[in-house]
Amino acid sequence: MPSNKDKNAEPTPETYDNLAAQPAENNVQTYIKDLLTLDVVTLTGNVDLAVTGANGERLRLGRLYNRIEEMYMAEDSQVRVLAITHVELDKDSVTYIKEGLSTQDEKLLTYHLETVRAASEARAAMAAGVGRLLNLSKPA
Amino acid sequence: MDPRAFTEACKRLGSGEFDPETVEQLRIVVEERMPVRYAVPFPPDVQATFYRSGSNTRTRRGQWHELVQHLTDLTYLTADEFQQWHQARAADLPPTGELMDRVLAALGAFVAEDAFAPLHRGCPYPAAGRQARLDWAEEYLTPAVDRLSTFTSFDGELAVNAGYRLGDRSVYGRSMAFRMYTLFTYVYADQHRRDVYLDESDRPLIIKLNRLLARDRSGLDEGLQGLLLNAGALLEAFWRARLPTGTDGENTYILYRITGPPSPDSLALEEALRTELANRRQLRELPEILEYTGGNDFARRLLQLTLWRIGYYDGALDSDFGPRTHEALLRFLEQESEGGRRRKIAKILVRREGEGAYAVKLRPLGKRLRDYAPPDKQEARNLEDDIWKRIAEARQIDTVDQTFAERQQEATEAYGAPQRHPFRRVYFAVGSLLRAALRGIARIIDWIRRAVSFTLGAIFDFIKLVAKRLREGVGLFFTGMRFFANFFLGRPVVTPEPGSTPVTVAALTRFGLDFDTVNYVADSAGAEAVRDHGRLLRRLAAGAEFFLTVAITVVRAAAAWGTPLGWIHLGVLIARWVLDMLRSPQGAKVSLA
């Protein structure tokens, strides 16, 4: 079971503490607390997902994800979990990988780990950004 | 849905309301309404930018044209390549792959020569690959063009480089060369032969410039660099240098002679100005600057440069004072004669004996042009606000959006037809335009209310000003919002299967609001699509800090702002917020901490 630890991309715990100290009158606190952990799941499968409609128009991308979610939840699901990584701020990350990886799956595992890194980096930027977004007292 | 929907959504986000309704409102405004209003595609897409005819991507294409002009002026591209680019534009065709490769290589060379932080903090410029470079260029077009524009601006936007020495091979060195060639030998038979950087062989030109400005120096010291960077200060220095010691300088003239018959517009303008023949006293004074001295030649070029900067001249800067420059001068004087100043203005230009011969009195002209000196940052902001205030006071706020959308094209010819004239340029810096636009605000308001036809000068300045602001702000904001949507609003990152019909998903990644992430890879996905998707995710992660800063800066500023005065005013404000971020020391570091 592989694990990694990368503190460079993370804001300090104080950043999150400061953000979580925002007034509880909105969902910011919940959001910031949720940022303390990060889960990345990689699914593979066979879901019919067209980006364009019958007339060539672009479909709303959010619906594509909903369709994957529906298919995953279905009893006869054709969507399988390849790997899951759980990351906690300032702690080791843990990755679950399905057994019996094929050659293709091994390539996808590399891709999965890249996604974990991208999500970690973006989360760090986003957490700090949300703090800035909420600090409306200073002129922009 | 009007611009208030945008500011309302920003206010709600800013107060922590991250609910689906707010997110959807913001999405509709940014992704559906703004692209139509501002003629900038969302998301930035190279094919959509160049392959779709019509006006709905016009603003974005304009930013590419500006990029190509700056790269040409700094000799990353040749005049031939500049012309080829505009020939394609005029034919409503996309640039060829080969030409696009040269433009992208030129952009890469610039990025390699310049350490401007926003161009280096995110994804590095790709070493190869047209598509990868295009993707980078589309994302970083605004900071690249903004930075390049400071190297070709004559508005004093670039700081003097105290460490610069003749022979330095840097983008600053290219900028110095561009300025010297503009002032002395801008039009040359073969641009390939133009020196990219200044070196010792250019020393005679530098000495000449020092002498013309009566400076007791022989080098390109900090003082001279400062004058080269700021044409207003250069004109002032020249004007002062030409004032004979102990006199008031009344008898200093710029002389020129135009060939060919005057245009009907010129005749009408002269009639309106009541241009007079030089009287005896003036005729006695005229020879004090001989017509064929370097001083007169330099003065004519400096006058062209000034008229070009303030929107009255659209020809080449070549010191050839032909009908085009003559008409530009007349238009400028006509604008200045408004408000009861006609008699004073009429004395600035006198006709000499002989067909098409004129003399311009340097001192009063210099005084008039001094009013157009580029403002500093705070003053520029005040001028811009004043323009919008005056439009609002004239009760034209409700019509300006529509008028601009419908009449912007009237200025097409004023951009100099570079497909036929590769040495004509558009002046892009906004400082001088602001001053000129505000001085001619009455005429602009008449144009907005459709009471007058398009003319060069204030109306052209207003069109350029607005178009430039939209280019500067909106494109980068859209890119920022794409990152914001991917990382905050739950929009999946999708890579389609290449060549699939209908287009199907090969890989998809969705970052949740809590950053829990779901990847989906289709069993049928090819290795190429998976690799492309991984590359896309890496690029998103590398640019997240910078582009999220852009989006959040605008959302924050919009939340704190009152109600914008229409769509164009909102676009102008977005440009202000984006450029403030890019140019501030904090923004240059792109620090979110």
Side-chain angles (χ1 to χ4, degrees):
Chain A
M1 191 175 286
S3 71
N4 64 358
K5 189 172 185 178
D6 181 5
K7 291 184 184 175
N8 292 334
E10 299 290 331
T12 64
E14 287 76 21
T15 308
Y16 292 91
D17 290 343
N18 291 338
L19 291 168
Q22 293 289 325
E25 59 200 30
N26 51 45
N27 53 8
V28 178
Q29 270 189 320
T30 311
Y31 170 69
I32 297 302
K33 282 178 182 167
D34 283 346
L35 284 178
L36 294 170
T37 62
L38 170 70
D39 291 287
V40 178
V41 56
T42 294
L43 307 169
T44 59
N46 186 20
V47 183
D48 182 21
L49 292 173
V51 180
T52 50
N55 299 320
E57 76 278 15
R58 285 182 77 86
L59 298 181
R60 293 266 300 281
L61 295 179
R63 291 182 188 158
L64 297 176
Y65 174 74
N66 296 343
R67 174 123 176 87
I68 292 170
E69 209 169 46
E70 284 168 17
M71 292 297 288
Y72 179 62
M73 300 299 283
E75 281 188 17
D76 57 344
S77 175
Q78 295 183 47
V79 177
R80 304 171 299 280
V81 174
L82 176 88
I84 300 174
T85 296
H86 176 77
V87 183
E88 286 195 35
L89 182 66
D90 213 26
K91 291 182 181 173
D92 288 351
S93 64
V94 179
T95 297
Y96 155 82
I97 303 165
K98 83 166 188 181
E99 290 184 346
L101 291 180
S102 65
T103 312
Q104 171 69 1
D105 287 343
E106 283 174 5
K107 287 179 185 167
L108 293 182
L109 181 61
T110 307
Y111 158 75
H112 168 82
L113 294 173
E114 279 180 355
T115 310
V116 174
R117 196 172 61 207
S120 298
E121 288 173 10
R123 177 180 62 160
M126 198 67 223
V130 169
R132 204 172 162 207
L133 174 65
L134 296 169
N135 180 17
L136 294 175
S137 56
K138 294 179 188 173
Chain B
M1 188 177 277
D2 64 27
R4 275 175 298 189
F6 174 74
T7 47
E8 281 165 13
C10 291
K11 281 182 200 300
R12 285 160 64 182
L13 273 182
S15 60
E17 292 180 43
F18 303 152
D19 56 279
E21 189 192 335
T22 304
V23 168
E24 181 63 3
Q25 180 171 337
L26 191 64
R27 189 197 70 75
I28 291 172
V29 176
V30 174
E31 297 182 18
E32 297 178 14
R33 299 291 190 272
M34 286 183 169
V36 176
R37 287 286 175 177
Y38 298 135
V40 177
F42 183 95
D45 182 310
V46 173
Q47 292 203 340
T49 301
F50 290 110
Y51 285 78
R52 281 162 60 184
S53 184
S55 61
N56 53 354
T57 56
R58 180 184 58 234
T59 304
R60 188 63 169 181
R61 282 197 299 274
Q63 196 164 30
W64 275 92
H65 303 333
E66 184 178 346
L67 174 85
V68 167
Q69 178 174 305
H70 294 319
L71 290 172
T72 306
D73 286 342
L74 297 171
T75 60
Y76 292 105
L77 289 170
T78 66
D80 289 344
E81 288 161 342
F82 175 79
Q83 192 169 17
Q84 284 169 29
W85 178 275
H86 281 285
Q87 283 167 347
R89 176 197 58 77
D92 201 16
L93 293 169
T96 63
E98 188 190 349
L99 181 57
M100 185 55 96
D101 282 342
R102 291 205 295 273
V103 171
L104 292 169
L107 176 60
F110 160 67
V111 172
E113 272 193 337
D114 189 45
F116 185 50
L119 298 177
H120 294 276
R121 294 277 299 191
C123 196
Y125 191 78
R130 183 185 302 163
Q131 191 56 52
R133 288 178 164 189
L134 269 175
D135 289 342
W136 190 97
E138 284 287 350
E139 283 180 354
Y140 292 87
L141 196 55
T142 295
V145 170
D146 179 54
R147 178 64 173 170
L148 276 163
S149 72
T150 62
F151 288 104
T152 63
S153 160
F154 285 92
D155 279 13
E157 294 180 84
L158 194 63
V160 168
N161 180 353
Y164 172 74
R165 299 289 179 273
L166 272 186
D168 280 1
R169 300 170 75 82
S170 62
V171 62
Y172 187 84
R174 287 176 186 262
S175 178
M176 285 293 122
F178 161 68
R179 290 158 203 283
M180 288 300 290
Y181 281 98
T182 299
L183 289 172
F184 291 104
T185 55
Y186 191 77
V187 174
Y188 24 84
D190 181 355
Q191 194 171 21
H192 295 283
R193 293 184 190 167
R194 202 200 96 175
D195 288 341
V196 176
Y197 309 99
L198 296 176
D199 57 27
E200 279 302 324
S201 69
D202 297 300
R203 178 77 66 183
L205 274 187
I206 294 167
I207 292 171
K208 183 176 178 179
L209 181 57
N210 275 307
R211 284 185 182 161
L212 286 166
L213 300 174
R215 298 180 85 243
D216 187 21
R217 307 285 175 87
S218 62
L220 189 45
D221 55 31
E222 288 178 51
L224 192 59
Q225 287 177 44
L227 294 175
L228 285 173
L229 293 168
N230 187 333
L234 181 64
L235 182 73
E236 181 91 12
F238 177 75
W239 169 52
R240 292 194 176 284
R242 305 313 297 181
L243 297 181
T245 309
T247 76
D248 62 0
E250 280 291 339
N251 51 359
T252 306
Y253 290 85
I254 303 170
L255 307 180
Y256 67 90
R257 186 186 304 273
I258 57 169
T259 54
S263 68
D265 281 352
S266 291
L267 290 173
L269 286 163
E270 283 200 48
E271 179 69 25
L273 284 165
R274 297 181 200 166
T275 312
E276 294 173 354
L277 266 177
N279 58 34
R280 284 186 181 179
R281 182 177 62 80
Q282 287 168 326
L283 285 172
R284 277 200 310 275
E285 292 167 351
L286 293 181
E288 292 205 8
I289 286 183
L290 295 174
E291 189 165 1
Y292 300 105
T293 64
N296 195 56
D297 192 68
F298 182 75
R300 294 197 299 206
R301 194 179 293 245
L302 208 49
L303 183 51
Q304 277 183 331
L305 175 65
T306 306
L307 291 170
W308 172 63
R309 282 172 52 232
I310 59 179
Y312 288 87
Y313 179 59
D314 59 359
L317 306 177
D318 53 8
S319 87
D320 180 6
F321 219 99
R324 211 174 182 90
T325 322
H326 177 59
E327 192 174 317
L329 177 61
L330 290 170
R331 284 195 187 284
F332 169 72
L333 294 176
E334 187 219 13
Q335 170 69 52
E336 285 297 295
S337 68
E338 283 185 357
R341 296 180 297 225
R342 196 195 61 74
R343 288 189 66 181
K344 277 188 174 179
I345 297 299
K347 290 181 179 174
I348 292 177
L349 179 70
V350 291
R351 281 181 283 126
R352 289 185 288 154
E353 289 184 349
E355 190 70 25
Y358 295 87
V360 188
K361 196 177 280 187
L362 188 56
R363 187 167 187 266
L365 179 68
K367 278 186 178 175
R368 291 289 154 203
L369 292 173
R370 187 192 275 170
D371 292 336
Y372 289 80
D376 62 25
K377 183 180 167 187
Q378 186 55 48
E379 196 183 358
R381 177 167 297 199
N382 295 341
L383 289 172
E384 190 168 64
D385 288 343
D386 279 352
I387 289 171
W388 287 97
K389 194 174 154 197
R390 295 284 296 275
I391 293 172
E393 285 170 354
R395 300 174 188 273
Q396 293 304 312
I397 276 300
D398 293 337
T399 52
V400 65
D401 286 350
Q402 196 63 24
T403 300
F404 187 79
E406 290 173 8
R407 300 193 72 181
Q408 184 185 359
Q409 289 302 321
E410 293 173 13
T412 302
E413 283 302 310
Y415 284 104
Q419 70 275 18
R420 295 194 302 275
H421 305 284
F423 294 105
R424 289 185 186 170
R425 293 289 183 269
V426 180
Y427 191 63
F428 285 112
V430 298
S432 304
L433 300 182
L434 281 168
R435 279 212 194 282
L438 193 56
R439 285 179 79 81
I441 189 69
R443 194 166 293 195
I444 291 168
I445 289 169
D446 281 344
W447 180 78
I448 292 169
R449 58 161 67 105
R450 298 164 192 267
V452 298
S453 304
F454 169 82
T455 55
L456 285 170
I459 297 171
F460 186 38
D461 289 330
F462 179 72
I463 291 174
K464 279 201 295 180
L465 193 62
V466 171
K468 166 83 171 163
R469 290 306 241 169
L470 298 185
R471 284 199 299 269
E472 285 174 335
V474 176
L476 185 59
F477 170 61
F478 279 179
T479 308
M481 283 306 290
R482 193 154 55 94
F483 279 72
F484 195 70
N486 286 145
F487 288 127
F488 194 68
L489 305 183
R491 181 215 301 279
V493 181
V494 173
T495 297
E497 188 61 47
S500 58
T501 310
V503 180
T504 55
V505 173
L508 175 151
T509 301
R510 180 184 185 270
F511 300 96
L513 193 59
D514 54 3
F515 263 76
D516 285 352
T517 305
V518 175
N519 277 317
Y520 166 77
V521 183
D523 287 341
S524 57
E528 182 189 350
V530 174
R531 195 171 52 244
D532 285 350
H533 194 68
R535 200 178 291 140
L536 178 57
L537 291 180
R538 282 197 296 279
R539 207 173 81 229
L540 283 173
E545 188 185 15
F546 175 68
F547 290 111
L548 288 173
T549 303
V550 172
I552 288 168
T553 297
V554 173
V555 170
R556 269 194 70 196
W561 188 268
T563 305
L565 305 173
W567 285 106
I568 288 181
H569 188 226
L570 175 62
V572 167
L573 292 173
I574 289 174
R576 177 184 296 181
W577 300 327
V578 165
L579 290 192
D580 278 355
M581 189 212 89
L582 279 181
R583 294 187 175 186
S584 71
Q586 186 189 6
K589 289 179 192 163
V590 197
S591 171
L592 281 160

